[in-house]
């Protein structure tokens, strides 16, 4: 088998056929097959090379943005209207450029289309949107707009102040919280970033702002509030309020470094009382009295202690921790002291009849240190006397008796002479009777009993306290030694009140004596004498004794025998006259009757005696005596005084000297009490009020009770009764005024508004402490600071906080209620009304009434005149003088600023009237919205305040009238109709129109006025009813879509002229209209071109878009696809499927087959792409539909001429190889290396002149010869890459991948194969080939109907 490389090109009017080099193997050709004529022509001219001209079409280049225009950074405080950045693009054609910005975020900017200057149209906010993208575009008017995404980064600025997460804070802390502990943590956040978002905290004020609270707290940078000093619920404040502020670290804002601070917030801190203090007794002294016979369980006194931790008020229990008389008293848990054992006053004589009891009060709960909180106090309990003792006998003599148990005795002895006279006392008898009770309880009676009681008597018969007892001879006759030498009597001592008694036996030994004794005429003499009579006062001088004895034995000597009264009276021994010896001791109150034994002794020392019964006559010599001391404690209002003043008079009972009369001496408070004049019962006449007592007396009322007897002279004594009226919280605070009226100027923070005063009549600090509170609407604007003035007075200073000022315009009057309360359990309080009048200061800027700024509408073109609106200015100040000023005028058209076009249309007077200046100049089409920016100015505003209102905008909408006719927008379009493609209801053309009027005045309705068809020879044929137009709109552009109503004749060639009318639709007045005529070009079937593909119709359909793109790029036309079908197997020559299409130019004409052939060959890139997509043949529909007999005749003719072609090829080859042996060697070497070069692919570098391919050694081969040995030693016959073969008639396909590999030759071999494209620079050689090709054409003498191109083109 012999193969040759073949390449040839031939022009055929019927079409263009594209195919790669193929091989034909004789053994595989079907027997009897006929060769088509075009195949034979290809065989004859396969060695001819025809140059192809590549036409380069120059196009306008689109502009480009610089590569670095991808990001822009803007500060968020960039003012609206300020320059943001510039759009810059490059255009090689130097065309005028138009810039734009689009996308969802384009509203942030406005761009000047001609310059590319971009200004900020909407404010930026980093915290809301810190980056976004916009699409920037540039257009040169020739190409589609170039779009590019631009990223906008927003830089943060310090435009946010810190904000506390909560505006009201409160917490509670223990008063024992250690210094340095965390109290509370606040949190404020700043939306800014960097230092501007770093929050710092400050403590502005501590309320109450006392000296000890100023530095009590501190705040850390992280918002933690730390305790810096110790707390005390009782001694300091139980409540604090901290004013806090948060600031950022500062940052740039509006080109300045500023620090933003939050509004102040307040932290309320309640101090929780802790049990850290011991309790305290409510009184400093406790004293009470109790009778000694009080039964066990008798309540004596109640003590009371309170917890000094007022916020806790823990319960208190009581115990007796010490006592001078253990076991006598106990105490209940509620503080009531009771009798716990028998009492005995007589054991307390040395202790002043008092028992000291130590009471310890203990809180129920342990204190914070885990210990008991307690306090102790000594209580004095006075034990009063009761008659609980009987008289007892003691062997002693007064006053030397100790009355000890050792001296107590029940039996005594004594002696007496027999026949001793009556009333003679028993000698050697030392007997004392003692009753320890007090007063009448200690009075006792003495009597005798026993076997010999009748012979004796006892003296005294009645005594009190203690008395020497004498047993006296009562019946001398019975005292007879000879009858009874020893006599026995019993002395009985009987308590005069209780009748209790004691008995003592007395053994009397009688002495034997002479029988004649001096005798007295009477054994008893009753005498009387006034007590306290003067010394020497003669009691009696008539009592004498008689002794019958004579002589010395009869000489009588008188004496008073020792005994009761012997030291008070004396007797003259000779005369027997009895006189007063001691006036002082002569006291009836001590002893009313004295029994004196007057003894008469004779010389024989015999004696007798008589009894002198001396009665002391009473004189008023004793003042009344008050027993005890009187201290009474009662609570006011509820307590009652009921006490008997214990008093007695020692003068003779039953007489005026001893009868007592009680009265109260006049004093400041005596009128509140009464005393029974006889019993001494002291009572209060009504409830006692502590507040009615002079505060300096601390609640003590001292009454003087006057106790007098009724004797002459009257004697009296006085005793003070101290009544302590204990204070209770029974009084409400009272304001010194029921209504307070204060005034304060607005805008004046931190000033004193006024002072309220209140007084609590309670006299103790615990009950008269006053605290103030403020309530009412607007109370939060004020601060009430209370202070104690003393004596129950307190004042509250009403302040404005330093950060609060009042606003007259917001509120002219505050009605507040101030409450004064004290900590009493009833929780009552007094109130007063405070009226705060806010004095107006012209501080408020005026405002514009928003209702007067409602937009108005004004018709254009002189339709309205005069006043069209009234802007109303307001000022809440009372003395304002306002005027309205025009700040600026903004003219916009369709929301686009149009400059100063409308500045003279309107004016604003000082009274707010808006006038039309030039009605005829108002034009809707140039400006549809006029914005009058106005403000109000107060001529009388205080200079330190803003005098201008905020700017207000009065929007004046310019109403359109129908003064503009519609106009069509220019369209750079050509409308083409391909009859066989269009169907009814399909759109074939469109128009766009706009009307500068608005509303219905600018609403356009399209209609078709006339349709004419102009043939190619100029004839005009009217066509009616073939087309219709529908109207739609996009924004303010109206679109008329022209649709086909019925099918068109595909054989007609010419232009449809359609006249379209645009007409507006005003409500009022005539309509405006405009007309336009459209040319719709027809393309008939003569321009239909068929393309064959080596792939199936399915594959062609799948690659349709790529095929259309490649064809449109190559032809610069609009490609209309008609049909895609598979080629029937019997008629298929070189393709498996075909595509019918029209190639329509922008002027309405279409490409013919020849024009398409030239254009495709001129664009190698598109051609290569089409070949890769399977394109093999370009031709008309008719030329490709030949019959099978013609195909066979052509094949036979081709085979017949094949032999001639072999000869011609050999001749040409020999001629070519003569030029240079070395050149042929390089060509053969290059051919061997050409296997590395893919068929149909061009290298990136420029080709070497005279070649169609590169070799690896940059060689320039001329011709590839067949493997037949021509006699050149350097020529190889083994390289398959030197061979190209013919394609068989039944397998015409293109496989670029296989062409890149080694090609196996089948069929006849031809040895000439060169690339036509390689002759683009070999001009001389191309001329030779051209001449040679013309000669062969003459030899062939037949037309070429097909042009075969190698796939390397």
């Amino acid at each position: 088998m012999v193969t040759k490389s073949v390449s040839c090109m031939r022009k055929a009017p019927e079409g263009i056929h594209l195919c790669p080099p193929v091989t034909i193997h004789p053994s595989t050709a079907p027997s009897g097959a006929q060769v088509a004529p075009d195949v034979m022509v290809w065989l004859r001219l396969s060695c001819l090379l025809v140059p192809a001209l590549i036409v380069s079409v120059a196009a306008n280049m689109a502009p480009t943005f610089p590569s670095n225009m991808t990001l822009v950074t803007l500060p968020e405080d960039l003012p609206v209207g300020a320059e943001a950045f510039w759009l810059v693009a490059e255009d090689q054609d130097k065309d005028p450029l138009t810039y734009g910005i689009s996308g969802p975020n384009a509203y942030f900017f406005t761009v000047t289309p001609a310059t590319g200057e971009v200004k900020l149209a909407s404010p930026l906010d980093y915290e809301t949107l810190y980056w976004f993208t916009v699409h920037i575009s540039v257009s040169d008017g020739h190409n589609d707009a170039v779009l590019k995404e631009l990223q906008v980064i927003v830089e943060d600025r310090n435009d946010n102040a810190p904000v506390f997460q909560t505006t009201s804070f409160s917490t509670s802390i223990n008063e024992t919280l250690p210094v340095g502990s965390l109290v509370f943590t606040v949190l404020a956040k700043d939306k800014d970033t960097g230092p501007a978002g770093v929050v710092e905290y400050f403590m502005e004020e501590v309320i109450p702002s006392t000296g000890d609270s100023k530095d009590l707290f501190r705040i850390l940078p992280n918002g933690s509030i730390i305790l810096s000093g110790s707390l005390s619920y009782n001694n300091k404040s139980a409540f604090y309020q901290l004013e806090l502020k948060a600031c950022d670290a500062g940052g740039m804002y509006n080109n300045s470094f500023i620090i933003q601070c939050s509004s102040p917030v307040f932290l309320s801190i309640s101090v929780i009382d802790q049990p850290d203090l011991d309790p305290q007794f409510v009184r400093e002294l406790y004293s009470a009295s109790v009778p000694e016979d009080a039964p066990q369980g008798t309540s004596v006194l109640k003590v009371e202690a309170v917890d000094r931790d007022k916020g806790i008020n823990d319960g208190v229990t009581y115990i007796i921790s010490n006592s001078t008389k253990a076991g006598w008293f106990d105490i209940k848990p509620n503080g009531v002291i009771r009798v716990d054992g028998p009492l005995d006053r007589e054991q307390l004589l040395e202790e002043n009849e008092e028992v000291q009891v130590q009471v310890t009060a203990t809180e129920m709960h342990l204190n914070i240190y885990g210990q008991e909180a307690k306090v102790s106090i000594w209580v004095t309990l006075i034990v009063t006397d009761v008659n609980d003792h009987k008289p007892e006998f003691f062997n002693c003599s007064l006053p030397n008796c100790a009355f000890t148990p050792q001296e107590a005795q029940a039996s005594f002895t004594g002696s007496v002479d027999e026949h001793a006279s009556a009333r003679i006392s028993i000698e050697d008898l030392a007997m004392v009777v003692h009753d320890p009770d007090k007063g009448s309880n200690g009075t006792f009676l003495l009597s005798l009993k026993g076997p010999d009681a009748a012979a004796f008597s006892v003296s005294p018969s009645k005594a009190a306290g203690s008395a020497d007892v004498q047993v006296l001879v009562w019946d001398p006759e019975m005292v007879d030694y000879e009858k009874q030498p020893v006599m026995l009597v019993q002395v009985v001592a009987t308590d005069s009140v209780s009748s209790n008694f004691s008995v003592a036996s007395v053994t009397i030994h009688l002495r034997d004596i002479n029988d004649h004794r001096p005798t007295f005429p009477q054994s008893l003499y009753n005498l009387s004498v006034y007590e306290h009579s003067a010394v020497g006062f003669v009691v009696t001088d008539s009592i004498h004794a008689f002794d019958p004895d004579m002589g010395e034995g009869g000489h009588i000597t008188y004496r008073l025998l020792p005994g009761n009264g012997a030291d008070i009276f004396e007797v003259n021994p000779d005369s027997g006259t009895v006189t007063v010896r001691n006036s002082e001791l002569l006291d009836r109150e001590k002893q009313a009757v004295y029994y004196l034994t007057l003894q008469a002794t004779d010389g024989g020392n015999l004696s007798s005696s008589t009894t002198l019964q001396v009665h002391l006559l009473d004189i008023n010599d004793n003042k009344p005596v008050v027993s005890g001391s009187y201290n009474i404690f009662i609570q006011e209002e509820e307590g009652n005084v009921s006490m008997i003043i214990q008093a007695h008079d020692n003068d003779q009972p039953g007489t005026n000297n001893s009868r007592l009369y009680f009265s109260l001496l006049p004093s400041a408070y005596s009128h509140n009490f009464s005393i029974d004049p006889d019993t001494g019962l002291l009572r209060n006449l009504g409830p006692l009020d502590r507040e009615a007592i002079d505060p300096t007396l601390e609640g003590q009322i001292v009454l003087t009770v006057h106790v007098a007897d009724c004797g002459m002279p009257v004697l009296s004594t006085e005793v003070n009764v101290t009544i302590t009226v204990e204070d209770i919280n029974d009084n409400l605070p009272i304001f010194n005024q029921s209504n307070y009226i204060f005034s304060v100027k607005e805008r004046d923070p931190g000033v004193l508004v006024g002072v309220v005063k209140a007084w609590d009549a309670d006299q103790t600090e615990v009950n008269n402490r006053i605290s103030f509170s403020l309530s009412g609407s607007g109370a939060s604007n004020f601060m009430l600071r209370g202070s104690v003035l003393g004596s129950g007075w307190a004042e509250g200073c009403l302040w404005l906080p330093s950060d609060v000022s009042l606003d007259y315009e917001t509120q002219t009057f505050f009605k507040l209620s101030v409450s004064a309360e004290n900590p009493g359990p009833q929780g009552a309080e007094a109130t007063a009304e405070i009226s705060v009048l806010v004095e107006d200061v012209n501080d408020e800027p005026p405002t514009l009434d928003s209702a007067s700024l409602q937009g108005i509408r004004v018709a254009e073109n002189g339709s309205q005149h005069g006043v069209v609106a009234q802007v109303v200015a307001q000022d809440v100040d009372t003395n304002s003088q306002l005027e309205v000023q025009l700040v600026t005028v903004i003219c916009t058209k369709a929301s686009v600023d149009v400059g100063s076009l409308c500045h003279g249309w309107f004016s604003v007077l000082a009274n707010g009237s808006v006038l039309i200046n030039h009605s005829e100049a108002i034009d809707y089409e140039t400006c549809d919205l006029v914005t009058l920016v106005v403000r109000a100015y107060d001529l009388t505003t205080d200079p330190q305040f803003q005098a201008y209102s905020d700017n207000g905008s009065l929007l004046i909408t310019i109403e359109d009238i129908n003064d503009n006719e519609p106009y069509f927008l220019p369209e750079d379009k050509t409308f083409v109709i391909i009859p066989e493609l269009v169907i009814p209801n399909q759109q074939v053309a469109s128009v766009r129109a706009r009307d500068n009027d608005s509303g219905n005045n600018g609403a356009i309705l399209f209609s078709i006025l006339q349709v004419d068809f102009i043939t190619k020879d100029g004839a005009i044929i009217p066509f009616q009813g073939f087309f219709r137009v529908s109207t739609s709109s996009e924004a303010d552009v109206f679109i008329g879509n022209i649709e086909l109503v019925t099918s068109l004749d595909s054989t007609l060639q010419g232009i449809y002229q359609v006249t379209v009318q645009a007409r507006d639709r005003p409500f009022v007045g005539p309509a405006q209209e405009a007309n336009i005529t459209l040319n719709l070009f027809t393309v008939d079937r003569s321009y239909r071109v068929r393309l064959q593909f080596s792939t199936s119709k399915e594959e062609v359909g799948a690659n349709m878009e790529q095929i259309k793109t490649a064809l449109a790029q190559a032809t610069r036309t609009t490609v209309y696809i008609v049909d895609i079908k598979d080629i029937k197997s019997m008629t298929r020559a070189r393709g498996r499927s075909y595509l019918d299409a029209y190639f329509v130019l922008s002027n309405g004409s279409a490409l013919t087959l020849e024009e398409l052939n030239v254009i495709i060959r001129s664009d190698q890139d598109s051609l290569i792409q089409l070949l890769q997509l399977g394109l093999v043949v370009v031709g008309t529909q008719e030329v490709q539909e030949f019959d099978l007999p013609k195909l066979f005749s052509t094949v036979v003719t081709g085979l017949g001429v094949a032999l001639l072609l072999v000869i011609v090829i050999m001749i040409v080859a020999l001629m070519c190889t003569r030029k240079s042996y070395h050149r042929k060697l390089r060509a053969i070497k290059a051919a061997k290396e050409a296997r590395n070069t893919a068929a149909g692919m061009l290298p990136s570098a420029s080709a070497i002149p005279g070649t169609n391919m590169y070799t690896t050694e940059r060689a320039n081969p001329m011709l590839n010869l067949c493997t037949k040995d021509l006699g050149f030693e350097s020529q190889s016959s083994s390289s398959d890459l030197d061979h190209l073969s013919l394609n068989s008639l039944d397998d015409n396909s293109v496989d670029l991948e296989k062409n890149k590999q080694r090609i196996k030759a089948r069929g006849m071999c031809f040895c000439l194969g060169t690339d036509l494209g390689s002759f683009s620079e070999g001009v001389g050689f191309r001329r030779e080939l051209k001449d040679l090709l013309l000669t062969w054409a003459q030899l062939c003498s037949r037309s070429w109907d097909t042009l075969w191109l190698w796939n390397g083109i």
Side-chain angles (χ1 to χ4, degrees), residues 208 283 353 648 698 799 822 915 937 996 1000 1119 1146 1183:
R283 288 164 50 185
E353 303 178 2
H648 64 277
E698 297 182 350
W799 293 82
N822 53 28
L915 301 176
Y937 173 56
N996 291 332
N1000 284 335
V1119 181
S1146 60
V1183 77

Side-chain angles (χ1 to χ4, degrees), residues 1269-1333:
D1269 190 1
L1270 300 179
F1272 300 103
E1273 295 178 0
S1274 61
Q1275 190 173 13
S1276 174
S1277 62
S1278 63
S1279 176
D1280 292 329
L1281 294 178
D1282 296 336
H1283 311 310
L1284 294 175
S1285 66
L1286 296 173
N1287 189 11
S1288 67
L1289 297 177
D1290 59 351
D1291 189 10
N1292 186 6
S1293 63
V1294 179
D1295 191 342
L1296 296 179
E1297 294 298 326
K1298 292 181 180 180
N1299 288 339
K1300 295 177 183 179
Q1301 301 173 358
R1302 178 173 300 172
I1303 301 174
K1304 299 299 182 178
R1306 292 188 301 160
M1308 298 182 66
C1309 173
F1310 297 91
C1311 62
L1312 182 60
T1314 38
D1315 189 348
L1316 295 178
S1318 64
F1319 292 97
S1320 58
E1321 296 182 9
V1323 179
F1325 189 63
R1326 288 201 310 272
R1327 186 178 297 110
E1328 295 177 4
L1329 289 179
K1330 181 180 179 182
D1331 296 338
L1332 186 60
L1333 182 60

Side-chain angles (χ1 to χ4, degrees), residues 119-179:
K119 294 184 178 180
L120 189 66
S122 182
L124 302 174
D125 186 13
Y126 174 87
E127 289 72 27
T128 303
L129 189 65
Y130 64 89
W131 76 273
F132 56 89
T133 58
V134 296
H135 293 91
I136 58 175
S137 63
V138 62
S139 173
D140 59 0
H142 300 286
N143 297 278
D144 292 339
V146 177
L147 295 176
K148 186 172 186 179
E149 185 176 83
L150 178 66
Q151 188 174 10
V152 180
I153 305 297
V154 181
E155 286 186 343
D156 190 25
R157 289 293 185 267
N158 190 14
D159 60 337
N160 290 284
V163 177
F164 282 95
Q165 300 305 290
T166 307
T167 59
S168 178
F169 304 97
S170 63
T171 188
S172 299
I173 58 176
N174 294 330
E175 67 170 336
T176 57
L177 187 68
V179 174

Side-chain angles (χ1 to χ4, degrees), residues 1097-1120:
K1097 73 173 183 179
E1098 289 78 9
E1099 294 180 77
V1100 173
N1103 297 327
M1104 178 56 60
E1105 291 302 322
Q1106 300 181 50
I1107 293 172
K1108 287 183 65 176
T1109 302
L1111 291 172
Q1113 180 179 352
T1115 61
R1116 300 295 191 270
T1117 63
T1118 301
V1119 181
Y1120 295 91

Side-chain angles (χ1 to χ4, degrees), residues 1087-1103:
Y1087 292 96
R1088 181 167 175 171
V1089 177
R1090 174 165 294 181
L1091 306 178
Q1092 285 192 16
F1093 289 85
S1094 61
T1095 56
S1096 66
K1097 73 173 183 179
E1098 289 78 9
E1099 294 180 77
V1100 173
N1103 297 327

